[in-house]
Amino acid sequence: MKAIRILHIEDDERDACLVAAELEKAAIVFTQTLVSTRAEFMASLEESIPDIIFSDHSLPAFNSLEALKIVQEKGIQVPFILVSGNTSQEFAVSAIKAGAGDYILKDALQRLPAAVQSSLEQYDGNVKGLKIQQEKQAIELAAREEINKLAARLQLATSGSGIGIWDWDMATDQLTWDAGMYQLYNTTSGQFGSVYEAWLMCLHPEDKERIENEIHLAINGEKEYNTEFRVIWGDGSFHYIKAGGTVERDNEGNAIRMTGINWDISVHKKEEHHLKLLESVITNTTDSVMITEAEPFDKNGHRIVYVNEAFTIMTGYTLAEIAGKTPKILQGPKSDMEALKRLGESIKKWEPCEITIINYKKNGEEFWINFSISPVADEKGWFTHWISIEKDITQRKNEELQKMLIAEISRLFGGTETLNELLQDVLTRLVTFADIDMGEIWLIAKDRQRINRVAAYSSSNELQHFYSKGCGVKSFAKGECLPGIAWEKKTMQFCQELCGEKNIEGLDDAKKTGLQTMYGLPIIYNDEVIGTFVLGINKKEKIAAHLTGLFENLGLHMGAEIKRKQVEQELNQIIRFAPDLVCIVGLNGYFLKINPAGCDLLQYTEAELKAVPLIDFIHPDDKARTNDSIQQIRESQVNYYTENRYITQSGDTKWIAWTSSRIQEEELIFAVGKDITDRKLSEIHLKELNKTLQKQARELAESNADLEQFAYVASHDLQEPLRMVTSFLTLIDKKYSAVIDDTGKQYIHYAVDGANRMRQIILDLLEFSRVGRKEDSQAAIDLNEMVNDIRILFRKQIQDKSAVILADSLPVIYTYKTTIRQVFQNLIGNALKYTRKDIPAVIGITATETELEWQFAISDNGIGVSRQYFDKIFLIFQRLHTREAYAGTGMGLAITKKIIESRGGKIWLQSEEGCGSTFYFTLRKPG
Ligand code: ADP
């Protein structure tokens, strides 16, 4: 094949090499003569006419137009192809018009071989069609010029912007990329195959088939090529690419090339994904979202542009209904103006804001809404919208308000008012809170026979007037009217047909005042109804469910409070009227409460007593002990008893006996004090008296002992001289009987007799003084045996007086053997002695038993004793008769009495002169 001779006007050798390389690549055989000046060009033409001329446009000392002119002037018929950089686009057009055969950008040299071929073909023997060809080329060139111009502009605009431009020559399957394309595919011209298949290989396998199809459709003219796909880089990462292109067709409409662009939309995709996510959040969130325009802003607010589904569910308004309106549509009489003002101020300053207010649903229902609004800016940073996230917090708000209400009610119950006063306050608060027209509280009487109205409140003038006149039935039986029915049924009662057939008796008054709907709700304590709330409204509609719920809750809550208050009132009543001191003391040692009896006792007011520590009122000597007591009460919970002295305001000392106990949960001491001043004083007095008595008793015992000692010594020591007197008188009588006359003998007899009597007296006295001193042991004694012994002892007297001793079957007793025998002996002896001469003596002995003692009676039918001597006969040496009439010393009964009394018994008699006597005595049983 003949080599194509190329004359190449080019001053840059590298460009010349690139051109040569491109031609070689296309297997074109050629020679290349390089010229860079006009002279060289002229010289070369002189030397030989080339087959084709390539020309760079602008050289330092030459240019393509000049070259073209020279060629035309010389009439040389060879193709003239402009091979130039992209800055000479406009010039290229004029060059083509001037007669240049083609125009190749240096950036698109791959097109050069094809251009060379076609130019040569056209020139080769086709001189006829040359003109047509030239025209056609001019048109094509103009079109390409336009494309290139655009492409160049695009490239200019897109250089560095992530956009790549491609060109696919279908005939040669040459795919030409600009630098941007290589960047997008993260490859180089060396690595990339520059054919259609090579490009397909870069696509994500999942996208490949779809894209091939789309290319196919574009080529067929069925659909514009405008698509997205993913490109896989060498490192395995994939990138979203947006692609578009146009198909170039020949005269027959066959697609011959496609040109287009690619750009990376990964960031955009991410944002899109992100946006989708956000959109789905906004659409699906349970919080309501409302978007308003930022401008214009009139007094009603901004125009609504969007609300989500949650908003529609919350308010009842759909987007269609509310779009274009302002949020004012949601507000109403109860919306907090202050909060809205605050919101308006934030909006003016473009600041986010959060408020909670009452709004109104489409159906007019109120609800609590919490919303926060934030301004939204566009890409330029201008605020264009407000976005508002809204929550229906009615339930939370109601719960919050109800909690506050219940706390407030509890506070009222904790106050000092009476139950009825505070129920009136509670009711007023409730009616205002619930925004109803009327409320009443009814309580069941203690005997549970009737239910009585204790509080009534109405917000309407008519009803207020009605109550103030004292109107309305104030008491019902169980089952009667609303209060009674709620009591009986134990559940909430609802009554709307006040004027209808189902009229509840007793509601006539309510009707008169215009009430149309009424409720009766039981107040319950311990599963038992203790009262009823009655609520009324002037409209024929129901009270909001959460409010009736509130009253039901209150019915349970207040039941306990009312009961507690009732008990407290009753207790207060008891404490108020208690005659004793009742008080509550804090663990800090101050009186917290003290009843009137306490104040009266201590002569201070309650305020005075509460002002200082109670220890200040205590007697100085008792302070330390009282402090100890308080400490002990603090530490234990059992009842604690103590006594101490208080000093009253007037300075008197009051003894108080306290019973105190600590209430663990409340850290309080409850105490009841009794004024024991009188008892305490008499106790002290008694103690002193006791002391005196004990002293006297001691002194008496001492003197008695002395006396007894004296009697004993005297009687004992007198025996001896007396015996001497008697002995010597007896000696005188015997020895000198011859010299003593009868009178003398008689005197001696009297003296001896006197001495004998004196001896007997001394013996009796000795016996008397021994009583109580003698050791005597106790033993079981059979009194029957003892009486028999005494019978034997007195057998002579019994015989002489023909006496009988009648003794019942007497008991066996455990007692002092010797001394008790002496008692029986003395009494039986007297009965035998003081007999009447005219009748035989009859003596009776009986015994009777009681729980603690034995009582014995020894009776006779003797001479008796006159009542006036009943005491005298028990004294020592006291007798009622002369020695001549009845022998004796008058000591017997004195000794007997002393024995009986020393054993804890008593002795007495019943007698009448001449009619016998009965002597009684008692003996304590042992133990
Ligand atoms: P005495 O018998 O030695 O005189 P008592 O002390 O036994 O002394 O009695 C005192 C007096 O009580 C007696 O003198 C007597 O007058 C009177 N008396 C005692 N017992 C009886 C009796 N059973 N009947 C009548 N008089 C009695």
Side-chain angles (χ1 to χ4, degrees), residues 830 833-834 860 863 865 873 878-881 888-890 892-893:
N830 276 352
K833 192 183 342 174
Y834 298 105
D860 60 55
I863 60 171
V865 181
I873 57 172
Q878 295 298 325
R879 30 196 346 258
L880 302 179
H881 308 282
T889 58
L893 286 180

Side-chain angles (χ1 to χ4, degrees), residues 37-310:
T37 64
R38 182 185 177 88
E40 281 173 10
F41 181 62
M42 294 288 277
S44 178
L45 285 179
E46 287 300 318
E47 200 177 296
S48 68
I49 300 298
D51 294 325
I52 191 159
I53 299 169
F54 291 171
S55 175
D56 190 6
H57 163 58
S58 188
L59 296 109
F62 197 37
N63 70 46
S64 56
L65 281 180
E66 279 179 55
L68 192 60
K69 209 171 165 195
I70 293 167
V71 169
Q72 282 170 348
E73 279 169 3
K74 284 188 180 275
I76 300 167
Q77 296 283 328
V78 292
F80 189 99
I81 296 178
L82 212 58
V83 179
S84 173
N86 57 13
T87 51
S88 46
Q89 298 281 321
E90 280 171 30
F91 165 75
V93 176
S94 52
I96 299 269
K97 281 182 184 159
D102 208 342
Y103 169 68
I104 304 293
L105 278 174
K106 282 181 181 171
D107 285 349
L109 283 178
Q110 68 273 18
R111 280 209 324 108
L112 187 64
V116 169
Q117 302 266 301
S118 78
S119 298
L120 287 175
E121 273 163 26
Q122 281 168 19
Y123 276 91
D124 195 21
N126 195 7
V127 183
K128 266 190 194 167
L130 181 65
K131 210 166 177 190
I132 302 163
Q133 184 68 28
Q134 271 176 347
E135 276 170 13
K136 188 181 155 199
Q137 274 180 353
I139 294 164
E140 265 184 22
L141 195 67
R144 191 159 314 134
E145 172 198 358
E146 200 59 34
I147 290 167
N148 286 341
K149 212 158 113 186
L150 287 172
R153 277 185 191 159
L154 194 63
Q155 203 161 26
L156 196 68
T158 59
S159 64
S161 65
I163 294 180
I165 301 171
W166 54 272
D167 180 286
W168 178 36
D169 188 331
M170 292 178 195
T172 58
D173 189 20
Q174 181 70 38
L175 187 57
T176 309
W177 280 6
D178 72 348
M181 284 297 283
Y182 287 112
Q183 258 176 25
L184 287 175
Y185 286 74
N186 195 32
T187 183
T188 60
S189 56
Q191 290 168 332
F192 182 60
S194 296
V195 289
Y196 178 72
E197 263 314 311
W199 169 68
L200 277 182
M201 292 294 287
C202 298
L203 303 190
H204 193 291
E206 286 173 12
D207 297 344
K208 216 183 260 179
E209 198 183 321
R210 175 173 60 83
I211 295 303
E212 270 195 288
N213 190 39
E214 292 203 32
I215 297 266
H216 185 71
L217 290 174
I219 291 171
N220 286 351
E222 291 171 39
K223 193 177 165 233
E224 271 193 19
Y225 181 64
N226 190 356
T227 188
E228 285 174 18
F229 49 79
R230 285 163 292 175
V231 164
I232 302 225
W233 285 6
D235 62 6
S237 61
F238 61 85
H239 304 261
Y240 283 93
I241 298 290
K242 176 105 181 151
T246 53
V247 180
E248 209 176 306
R249 300 177 190 280
D250 60 15
N251 286 343
E252 282 83 46
N254 298 318
I256 50 166
R257 68 190 309 121
M258 268 186 91
T259 315
I261 53 171
N262 276 188
W263 70 92
D264 192 327
I265 54 163
S266 294
V267 175
H268 172 75
K269 268 280 170 195
K270 255 189 212 155
E271 278 171 0
E272 194 177 77
H273 182 72
H274 190 62
L275 267 177
K276 268 204 181 122
L277 209 70
L278 284 180
E279 197 182 314
S280 98
V281 169
I282 287 180
T283 315
N284 300 319
T285 179
T286 50
D287 286 345
S288 301
V289 176
M290 176 168 77
I291 300 174
T292 58
E293 284 175 347
E295 306 283 352
F297 177 67
D298 65 22
K299 61 180 182 351
N300 291 333
H302 300 111
R303 273 203 297 271
I304 296 165
V305 291
Y306 173 80
V307 293
N308 68 350
E309 210 178 308

Side-chain angles (χ1 to χ4, degrees), residues 764 826-835 858-860 862-866 869 872-882 886-896 909 911 916-919:
D764 283 350
N826 283 355
L827 293 175
I828 293 168
N830 276 352
L832 283 169
K833 192 183 342 174
Y834 298 105
T835 52
I858 296 167
S859 60
D860 60 55
I863 60 171
V865 181
S866 168
Y869 301 122
K872 191 183 173 185
I873 57 172
F874 290 102
L875 300 175
I876 53 171
F877 301 131
Q878 295 298 325
R879 30 196 346 258
L880 302 179
H881 308 282
T882 60
Y886 296 98
T889 58
M891 286 296 287
L893 286 180
I895 292 169
T896 304
L909 77 151
S911 180
S917 314
T918 303
F919 282 83

